[in-house]
Amino acid sequence: MRIAPSRIVTPFTKRFMATSTNASSRRTPASDEALASLADSGWTVQSELGSSRLVRKFEFKDFSAAWGFMSRTALAAEKLNHHPEWSNVWSKVSIALTTHDQGNSLTELDVKLATRISEYAKQSGDKLLKE
């Protein structure tokens, strides 16, 4: 049986498809309305020297909960081909999002990933979201 070349999916073509489907989100600046809606879930915009980033801190019950949250976030980031700057100390996670290839500005892709991260944080029991 012969498979048509257009139907062959390799790790390269999967990554290309993920990149190409998010290309317009990567190029489109984040709207003020979208950024304002993220503020309700604890995200803030930091701007300095012509660059902007979305930042948020999370706190979970313990290290395992934080690690689970980070694992879910990593899978979503990989799927979107958009990766956060982050750090983890025991139950605490800090995340910053910016689109580097758009001059460290905020794009629809940052908003899309931040929205998913907020959903995962809520499902994982983020303590800071409840305050």
Side-chain angles (χ1 to χ4, degrees):
M1 182 170 117
R2 185 175 157 99
I3 298 174
S6 63
R7 295 186 183 201
I8 295 173
V9 177
T10 66
F12 172 78
T13 56
K14 271 187 171 178
R15 184 166 174 97
F16 175 76
M17 288 186 291
T19 304
S20 62
T21 57
N22 289 306
S24 66
S25 293
R26 186 178 300 280
R27 289 189 306 267
T28 305
S31 69
D32 290 338
E33 295 82 16
L35 294 173
S37 72
L38 288 173
D40 294 337
S41 57
W43 291 92
T44 58
V45 175
Q46 287 183 346
S47 298
E48 79 179 43
L49 301 174
S51 65
S52 297
R53 54 194 213 149
L54 280 168
V55 295
R56 171 89 158 72
K57 294 183 184 212
F58 304 87
E59 186 174 345
F60 301 94
K61 179 179 128 188
D62 54 24
F63 179 74
S64 292
W67 190 266
F69 162 75
M70 290 177 69
S71 295
R72 292 184 76 194
T73 298
L75 292 172
E78 190 65 19
K79 199 170 212 172
L80 291 172
N81 192 26
H82 192 56
H83 305 90
E85 297 171 19
W86 60 4
S87 66
N88 164 242
V89 177
W90 196 64
S91 66
K92 296 177 182 175
V93 178
S94 298
I95 297 181
L97 300 173
T98 190
T99 304
H100 298 291
D101 55 356
Q102 294 298 316
N104 293 324
S105 63
L106 295 174
T107 65
E108 284 183 359
L109 196 52
D110 296 302
V111 171
K112 187 184 286 190
L113 184 54
T115 301
R116 288 187 188 176
I117 290 171
S118 294
E119 291 169 12
Y120 299 152
K122 187 175 181 180
Q123 294 166 0
S124 299
D126 176 29
K127 290 180 178 181
L128 298 179
L129 193 58
K130 296 174 185 176
E131 292 178 351

